[in-house]
Amino acid sequence: MTGTPHGRNSTPDPRYDGGAGYVPVGAYGRPDPDSRCLGSASCIPLCPSHAKYTPLKTQARWSESVTLVDRAVVHRVLVDGNGRATGVAYLRWDSGPGPATPGTASADVVVLAAHAVENARLLLLSGLAARSDQVGRNLMDHPVLLTWGLLPEQVGPYRGPGSTSGLEGFRFGPARRVRAPFRVEIGNWGWVWARGPVDGDVAALLRSGGAAGRGLFGAALRTAVRERAGRQFTLQFEMEQEADPANRVTLDPRHRDALGLPRPVISYDLSSHVREGMAAAREVSDRIFALLGAEDHTDDPAEPVWPGRFEHRGRTYSYRGAGHGAGTHIMGDAPATSVVDSYQRCWDHPGLYAVGCGSMPSVATSNPTLTMAALALRSAGAIARELTARDRPAVITPGAAP
């Protein structure tokens, strides 16, 4: 078992910063000693105690030089005759009737930070960075195989974050040659991701949880829900997916959004390598359940609950995406085979950066957040150096010839 690193406000440590202490930062950037993790088991989608990071905390520290244009969608990156990015064109809408209002914003540097799908969509809408033919290609995620069951004793789920530990050993070793590697995340929230909230269990017990097909009510219902929910657990097998140019984001003018812009169209499938990984993961799950003496309640619901579904060696597998989209504007060391360089600068367009997981040429088995943050910091440093060098005052030596 390996503990999963976490970053969230907890009990303040008076020894922090050489004895200066630490005061957690709450919502909207305000110092708030009560903004710590209370184990509410709702990190996704929100934290009621504001212990989790939210952009509102950073936004509260913006200087007056930053202007936020809300209710606006950028639909084109503007470039000059040399291909250098000069700004963006956007459409802005109000709550009233009528068409969206067009607008433009000029800039010395343009940074696309709308994540893998929308970054690719914007580049495609703008007709930019097309030299390598890799814009929108190599879309990756962490296809997730879920298995769930009931343990023979109470384990206390629905407390704290979604997961605090897992099994990492299946990420390594020679087996990677024949099947996709994966990590096993041990879910703390019962069957929420697999089957939905506990409401479903309550509904089932209300319908036919009692004797002779009669439902349970009152104290008997509370006891039954507590007994059942307290034994729920889920294993989440997060698969590594290789970059495949056929998995991609494209545009289809037949499908347009409310602003009249072409919607992104996703082409996505699993290779035989990933499918073999899922088959191996299911075998691992079967053995873990047997060791724990757990009741296996895993099933394969029909679409649209589980849109990812395939048959492999006579067995049906259903999977979900992890929402860790990557790879649609991959970085590399040559403009003929990649969209951006190691600083996430578009090869073809000076002053244009496409940042985020879309730059990753591989996604591995773990969540890409920390890697994405590191890449963003690297790009920010490059942007700062570029602007500093451009705006540095010229050195004038007295008496020198003009």
Side-chain angles (χ1 to χ4, degrees), residues 201-340:
D201 295 293
V202 175
L205 291 169
L206 280 170
R207 288 193 303 266
S208 57
R214 297 179 179 179
L216 296 177
F217 299 91
L221 174 63
R222 288 194 295 272
T223 299
V225 171
R226 185 183 307 114
E227 192 278 335
R228 184 175 179 83
R231 296 191 292 126
Q232 292 180 354
F233 82 110
T234 299
L235 298 179
Q236 302 163 193
F237 296 85
E238 299 171 0
M239 318 301 300
E240 177 178 313
Q241 183 174 33
E242 74 275 21
D244 181 349
N247 286 340
R248 62 186 303 193
V249 178
T250 57
L251 301 178
D252 188 342
R254 297 173 299 176
H255 305 285
R256 295 181 177 268
D257 61 19
L259 295 174
L261 302 174
R263 294 179 182 272
V265 178
I266 307 299
S267 301
Y268 182 85
D269 201 359
L270 304 183
S271 67
S272 59
H273 190 66
V274 176
R275 296 185 183 208
E276 287 290 347
M278 287 198 175
R282 193 65 172 92
E283 292 179 8
V284 170
S285 174
D286 292 343
R287 300 180 91 175
I288 291 176
F289 275 56
L291 288 169
L292 294 174
E295 300 175 21
D296 192 345
H297 286 254
T298 307
D299 56 20
D300 295 291
E303 298 182 9
V305 179
W306 290 81
R309 190 180 180 89
F310 64 91
E311 300 286 334
H312 185 68
R313 296 184 180 177
R315 190 169 189 176
T316 300
Y317 297 87
S318 298
Y319 67 94
R320 290 188 175 184
H324 300 160
T328 57
H329 45 84
I330 59 171
M331 71 173 93
D333 56 7
T337 55
S338 57
V339 180
V340 299

Side-chain angles (χ1 to χ4, degrees), residues 34 74 131 135 167 182 198 228 309 394:
D34 294 326
V74 173
R131 183 178 3 171
V135 172
L167 300 168
F182 53 85
V198 182
R228 184 175 179 83
R309 190 180 180 89

